[in-house]
Amino acid sequence: MSQAIENAYAPPLAGKPPVALDRPRTRSKALRMLKPWLYLLPALVLLGIFMYRPLLYTFYLAFHKWSMVPGTEPLYVGFDNFSRLLANKSFADSIGNTVFYTALLLPFSIVIPLALAAVTHHMEGRMKNVYRALFFIPMILAPVSVSAIWRWLFHPSGGLVNTALMKLGLIETPIAYFSDPSFAKWIILLITGWKMIGFSTIMFSAALTGINSEYYEAASQDGAGSMRQFWNITVPLMSPMIIFMLTMSILFSSQWTFAYIDILTTGGPYGTSTNVYYEMYKFAFSNLNAGFSSAASLLFFVVFGVISLALNSLSRRFSFYDN
Amino acid sequence: MKRKPPAVSILQHGLLSLMCVIALFPLYWMLNSSFKNESDIFKSDFLPPNPILSNYSYAFEQMPIFRMMFNSFGVSILMTALQLFTGLLAAYALVRWRFRGQTLIFTLLSLTWLIPFQSIMIPNYVLVNDMGMNETLMGIVLPFAVSTFAILSLYQSFQSFPKVLIEAACIDGQSDFGILTRLILPNIKSSVASLGIILFINGWNEYLWPMLITKKMENAPLQIGLKLFVNSDSNMWGSLMAATTVSCLPILLIYLLLRRQIVDSFVRFGIK
């Protein structure tokens, strides 16, 4: 899977150009030059219209003031959006939350799944696949369905979580999880993490099956314990996959939490559970301030770009391949 | 491998079973709650004491569920079909020929990984609005008609196809399109199918864009309709759980039927 990213940055292997059978030379050559572009055309046109044109337009809007009302024109304001954005308290808070989500999702996307994959790896028989298939189910459920279920579980008066905690005598009065600043973002994190575990476990399991078991046999004969084997064999050989999942987790966690924030807390209470993407969405579609939202987009496009370049060079430096 | 002592094995199975319970319990609770009547719903019985079906009938009365289900399937199938179509053509061009600008194309494709949908939503929203495609399935599908993830995944699958065969077919005078449809596709059918499964699930779970485009229940995918129902602040938890159960069923049934392929395809291609 890390190949996908590798391939994406390395130029493809070239095949030999097809042998032309005695056709008139110049026309067939022109046609041959054109052919690949003909096949690429649908994809490139759509990418242009729905990805790159909007991106450039967003960069343009970042320096303008516009309320998206049809028939009105964006007004040039220079760097005004940026200076106001950096002075905006709710935006500053959302950056803190984004870091919180990104950092604390890592145990769910890397640490626990790695342990689970290692534990299931040496299991024999059909149970292995049964476990993996069951872990995977949260991943395929849609965010709205998942949110509805968790909202019910954490219901402030009759939810199962409160009832159970009160029966166990851990709490005196029920907690209103989604409107309590000290709980809201933890619940969002928990739900996002709950969905991630199964997926990462499957990815790591797949990477593990590619490891030659002779290493483990040799290590056992040298008297290395299972923990030692894990640190000295499993982790280094899994490093490409670990770094791939790390990249995914860091780049996408803010997008994964988005739906839960919108459905369950709408960023509240007092902005304690929002993140930068959700703020962008609110700037645009609640405050109708397209310029503000676009300035934030541009800022974070650069930030995530730098992060992904750093991770990419990290993966080139530290990935240990078994040849 | 040495046989593990039984205590370790029991501990491992215990740990894994606990993980399974954590993964599946919410689903079980959803199903359980959907059959409870209003007086039982706030009690934590693990089976409904007086099971009822009226939650389901109420949910179907409140929402055009079949219509929204149709929308969801329509959106997911259209997205998958378009992404596979544009992806196959593009990936084929990248594998089949060597031409100027190939590196540029790869750069453009890889860069899209870094573009979050939130940073292109405003221009796309304005564009789809101007085209008069609000509240339409096509308006939901169009911005997702091409997926770089699909192109790059298919490119990888094509790479594994022996080049010699392509050249041989070329010397035999096969047309380029014929090579794609008659030679390569039949041989990488399974990869294309598993990629299709992922694209379908991604389409089914799409949230932000359909939410921006559709405001009326009858035009919305099931997800968005359910969200409107969740936020209507009714205290009808039983029927909300019934509606949620219905919204999970299609994907769970597909998973039941194609479990192996789904897991394999996620392993093969990862996720966006």
Side-chain angles (χ1 to χ4, degrees):
Chain A
M1 211 21 245
S2 54
Q3 285 285 266
I5 289 202
E6 295 283 326
N7 275 347
Y9 291 101
L13 297 167
K16 288 194 194 117
V19 182
L21 298 170
D22 47 7
R23 291 183 209 131
R25 185 158 282 184
T26 47
R27 259 198 59 207
S28 76
K29 197 167 174 195
L31 202 69
R32 258 221 321 264
M33 294 270 288
L34 250 169
K35 260 195 176 147
W37 296 101
L38 220 63
Y39 280 86
L40 281 164
L41 195 67
L44 289 182
V45 166
L46 285 164
L47 271 184
I49 297 175
F50 292 108
M51 275 282 201
Y52 282 106
R53 188 199 58 89
L55 189 69
L56 294 174
Y57 192 46
T58 296
F59 292 171
Y60 163 88
L61 281 178
F63 300 95
H64 292 73
K65 191 170 166 46
W66 190 42
S67 62
M68 293 192 286
V69 174
T72 58
E73 286 297 314
L75 177 78
Y76 181 74
V77 291
F79 282 91
D80 187 47
N81 285 324
F82 291 92
S83 57
R84 284 194 306 134
L85 190 65
L86 295 174
N88 183 311
K89 192 184 172 308
S90 75
F91 190 69
D93 291 346
S94 75
I95 294 176
N97 284 339
T98 307
V99 173
F100 166 89
Y101 286 133
T102 309
L104 289 179
L105 200 64
L106 292 178
F108 294 100
S109 57
I110 312 280
V111 184
I112 300 172
L114 201 54
L116 286 173
V119 168
T120 41
H121 181 54
H122 294 303
M123 255 184 199
E124 276 109 54
R126 292 188 46 207
M127 275 319 277
K128 181 152 113 177
N129 288 333
V130 170
Y131 281 134
R132 287 176 183 177
L134 292 177
F135 289 163
F136 201 67
I137 288 176
M139 184 67 221
I140 56 167
L141 297 176
V144 184
S145 314
V146 168
S147 304
I149 301 171
W150 286 96
R151 173 180 274 200
W152 170 225
L153 282 167
F154 284 109
H155 188 274
S157 58
L160 183 70
V161 176
N162 270 332
T163 316
L165 288 175
M166 278 160 67
K167 275 199 175 135
L168 291 169
L170 293 172
I171 52 172
E172 296 284 310
T173 49
I175 302 169
Y177 294 94
F178 297 112
S179 47
D180 186 327
S182 51
F183 282 103
K185 67 177 168 189
W186 288 96
I187 306 282
I188 301 277
L189 176 75
L190 183 83
I191 297 171
T192 315
W194 172 76
K195 239 184 118 110
M196 269 311 287
I197 289 179
F199 172 65
S200 295
T201 306
I202 298 269
M203 297 300 274
F204 287 140
S205 302
L208 269 174
T209 44
I211 295 182
N212 196 331
S213 62
E214 286 171 19
Y215 290 117
Y216 292 103
E217 282 157 29
S220 325
Q221 274 166 1
D222 293 344
S226 60
M227 272 323 269
R228 181 96 196 266
Q229 287 180 26
F230 177 77
W231 283 115
N232 292 349
I233 303 171
T234 311
V235 172
L237 284 174
M238 293 268 285
S239 61
M241 180 54 97
I242 294 174
I243 290 180
F244 173 74
M245 288 307 291
L246 188 74
T247 309
M248 292 266 275
S249 188
I250 290 175
L251 285 186
F252 295 133
S253 58
S254 309
Q255 290 179 59
W256 290 331
T257 47
F258 182 93
Y260 307 114
I261 294 171
D262 186 41
I263 302 159
L264 294 169
T265 66
T266 57
Y270 320 115
T272 50
S273 66
T274 187
N275 74 13
V276 286
Y277 289 140
Y278 194 65
E279 286 302 295
M280 284 179 207
Y281 163 76
K282 284 215 304 207
F283 290 150
F285 292 98
S286 308
N287 315 352
L288 296 180
N289 191 341
F292 217 52
S293 178
S294 303
S297 291
L298 177 54
L299 212 61
F300 274 88
F301 185 72
V302 173
V303 169
F304 279 112
V306 169
I307 291 174
S308 73
L309 281 178
L311 283 165
N312 202 29
S313 65
L314 182 85
S315 76
R316 286 180 185 281
R317 187 167 315 161
F318 288 105
S319 283
F320 180 95
Y321 289 98
D322 174 20
N323 296 320
Chain B
M1 285 303 301
K2 278 187 301 208
R3 297 244 2 111
K4 274 189 286 257
V8 175
S9 175
I10 287 170
L11 190 74
Q12 283 186 350
H13 280 284
L15 184 77
L16 291 170
S17 308
L18 179 72
M19 281 306 303
C20 285
V21 170
I22 293 173
L24 296 180
F25 184 81
L27 275 180
Y28 159 75
W29 198 248
M30 160 188 87
L31 203 60
N32 174 23
S33 304
S34 73
F35 293 109
K36 284 182 176 176
N37 64 27
E38 277 178 63
S39 60
D40 294 330
I41 190 95
F42 286 110
K43 298 186 192 121
S44 39
D45 294 296
F46 277 72
L47 281 173
N50 316 296
I52 51 161
L53 283 172
S54 59
N55 286 328
Y56 284 87
S57 53
Y58 180 80
F60 275 88
E61 278 160 30
Q62 289 299 304
M63 293 192 285
I65 288 187
F66 286 117
R67 172 75 219 212
M68 295 191 302
M69 191 97 77
F70 169 81
N71 293 340
S72 275
F73 272 104
V75 164
S76 314
I77 289 169
L78 274 172
M79 272 187 197
T80 307
L82 284 168
Q83 288 174 357
L84 283 179
F85 175 75
T86 53
L88 279 168
L89 291 181
Y92 179 61
L94 291 169
V95 171
R96 174 81 171 70
W97 290 282
R98 192 178 175 184
F99 55 95
R100 258 200 200 151
Q102 210 152 1
T103 327
L104 174 73
I105 301 253
F106 273 97
T107 315
L108 280 179
L109 292 180
S110 332
L111 265 182
T112 57
W113 277 71
L114 288 179
I115 306 177
F117 194 79
Q118 283 82 356
S119 49
I120 51 174
M121 65 188 170
I122 298 172
N124 275 332
Y125 180 76
V126 173
L127 178 69
V128 170
N129 240 341
D130 287 346
M131 289 160 92
M133 286 204 191
N134 261 1
E135 307 282 344
T136 62
L137 291 192
M138 236 22 232
I140 300 176
V141 170
L142 258 187
F144 293 88
V146 63
S147 139
T148 37
F149 165 69
I151 298 175
L152 293 173
S153 307
L154 286 165
Y155 173 75
Q156 269 192 290
S157 312
F158 279 19
Q159 282 280 345
S160 64
F161 190 82
K163 274 217 149 33
V164 183
L165 290 178
I166 299 181
E167 279 165 33
C170 205
I171 291 166
D172 286 347
Q174 279 262 26
S175 71
D176 291 315
F177 195 69
I179 292 176
L180 172 63
T181 52
R182 284 199 292 270
L183 177 69
I184 303 183
L185 270 186
N187 281 296
I188 58 162
K189 255 202 317 254
S190 71
S191 311
V192 176
S194 32
L195 180 64
I197 292 171
I198 295 190
L199 297 176
F200 183 90
I201 291 177
N202 278 347
W204 185 271
N205 293 349
E206 200 54 58
Y207 173 75
L208 171 60
W209 181 246
M211 177 183 74
L212 292 177
I213 290 298
T214 53
K215 296 278 176 284
K216 298 196 186 87
M217 270 200 183
E218 60 270 23
N219 303 324
L222 195 50
Q223 293 301 312
I224 308 305
L226 186 66
K227 187 207 167 191
L228 295 172
F229 197 57
V230 174
N231 286 345
S232 63
D233 248 356
S234 60
N235 238 342
M236 305 290 296
W237 287 100
S239 47
L240 178 61
M241 285 303 110
T244 309
T245 306
V246 173
S247 79
C248 291
L249 275 182
I251 285 282
L252 286 174
L253 284 177
I254 292 171
Y255 188 62
L256 210 65
L257 294 172
L258 302 172
R259 195 195 48 146
R260 177 139 299 186
Q261 289 89 324
I262 290 178
V263 174
D264 281 353
S265 52
F266 272 95
V267 166
R268 201 180 305 186
F269 296 120
I271 191 170
K272 224 185 96 179

